[in-house]
Amino acid sequence: PISIYTLLLRHRTRFLFSLPSPPHSETIMTSIESDIDERVITKAALDAATTNLSTLCATHAPTFVAVERRSTLLASSLSKLLSSVDNLTPKVALAAQSLETESGSGTTSTASSLASLAERHRLRRRTLLQHSSLLELLELPSLMDACVRSNLYEEALNISTFANTLERRHAGESYQVVTNVVKEVRMREMDLRRHLIQRLRGDVTMPQCLEVVTALRRLNGVELERRGR
């Protein structure tokens, strides 16, 4: 015999199966499947990115090593530079104190000392820029002496004329270098005159005699020009 409890259980089961399914069950299942697919795709993309990163690191390993070495070397160089700066700091302070020198009229201010230092630096820089011209100027006496020894009277007289022009151009200026060069050239002029007179005392041909006399006349003209000033 079937008990009343069994009959009630069967009736409840049939009632539950007869109920329609929820309207959003399919949508919920689809959403769950979509979330599962996105997780799988994301995991696959992460694995691919990790693999690519490992490949790139292995490919460019020498570059990474070189960069690390350069960074270490740069850090060492920077440390040495900072150490040098720290060592120079007391010297800079000492130089700043030495600029405040005492003169006969009192103590010179730091501003005027710096201005004087800047002026000397400008003068030395200007001299350095004219280095090649100064060398050519200092070589004029030796060049004229070589011309006299080689009987190149025309070239020697050209140097003497240039010395006159140089002296006239810097007449009112106290340039010791120009003064010394002109003085040396004047001494070479005396050597040239003695050399020409010595040649006239020897056996010379008519063309050689004319050459020597022409050189003497021109040398006299150079001296007269100098004395005329």
Side-chain angles (χ1 to χ4, degrees):
I2 301 174
S3 64
I4 297 174
Y5 178 76
T6 304
L7 291 175
L8 290 174
L9 182 60
R10 287 180 181 180
H11 179 71
R12 182 183 178 187
T13 303
R14 290 174 184 176
F15 176 75
L16 289 176
F17 277 105
S18 64
L19 290 176
S21 60
H24 301 290
S25 61
E26 295 181 358
T27 305
I28 295 173
M29 293 299 296
T30 304
S31 176
I32 293 174
E33 292 178 356
S34 177
D35 292 341
I36 294 175
D37 292 340
E38 289 181 358
R39 292 178 182 178
V40 172
I41 293 172
T42 304
K43 187 177 183 305
L46 181 61
D47 294 340
T50 304
T51 304
N52 292 333
L53 181 60
S54 301
T55 304
L56 288 175
C57 292
T59 304
H60 300 283
T63 304
F64 296 151
V65 173
V67 170
E68 181 64 24
R69 291 177 179 175
R70 296 284 179 84
S71 300
T72 304
L73 182 60
L74 181 61
S76 177
S77 301
L78 183 59
S79 177
K80 291 180 181 179
L81 180 60
L82 292 176
S83 178
S84 300
V85 171
D86 293 338
N87 293 333
L88 287 176
T89 301
K91 296 181 180 180
V92 172
L94 182 60
Q97 293 178 0
S98 64
L99 288 175
E100 300 177 355
T101 57
E102 293 184 357
S103 59
S105 58
T107 303
T108 305
S109 62
T110 305
S112 61
S113 299
L114 290 175
S116 177
L117 182 63
E119 180 64 22
R120 290 198 299 269
H121 176 71
R122 186 187 65 82
L123 181 61
R124 289 169 183 170
R125 182 176 178 82
R126 185 178 177 183
T127 304
L128 182 61
L129 292 176
Q130 301 294 331
H131 181 261
S132 58
S133 301
L134 288 174
L135 284 180
E136 294 177 359
L137 182 64
L138 293 174
E139 289 176 355
L140 286 180
S142 60
L143 181 60
M144 185 173 179
D145 183 67
C147 292
V148 172
R149 295 178 184 274
S150 303
N151 298 332
L152 300 174
Y153 307 130
E154 187 73 19
E155 287 76 6
L157 290 170
N158 288 337
I159 295 175
S160 182
T161 304
F162 177 74
N164 283 347
T165 304
L166 198 64
E167 186 180 19
R168 181 174 64 253
R169 184 180 302 171
H170 302 282
E173 302 172 355
S174 57
Y175 290 145
Q176 191 65 31
V177 175
V178 175
T179 303
N180 293 337
V181 169
V182 172
K183 184 178 179 180
E184 291 290 333
V185 172
R186 297 290 176 258
M187 294 176 62
R188 299 304 185 275
E189 287 180 5
M190 297 174 60
D191 295 339
L192 175 60
R193 183 178 295 277
R194 286 194 295 268
H195 180 77
L196 293 173
I197 294 175
Q198 186 66 28
R199 285 202 63 186
L200 286 177
R201 291 175 179 174
D203 295 333
V204 292
T205 61
M206 183 59 67
Q208 292 175 348
C209 182
L210 288 175
E211 182 184 9
V212 172
V213 171
T214 302
L216 282 172
R217 292 182 61 182
R218 186 177 173 186
L219 182 59
N220 291 335
V222 171
E223 291 184 357
L224 288 175
E225 179 187 359
R226 184 173 69 254
R227 292 177 183 177
R229 294 197 304 273

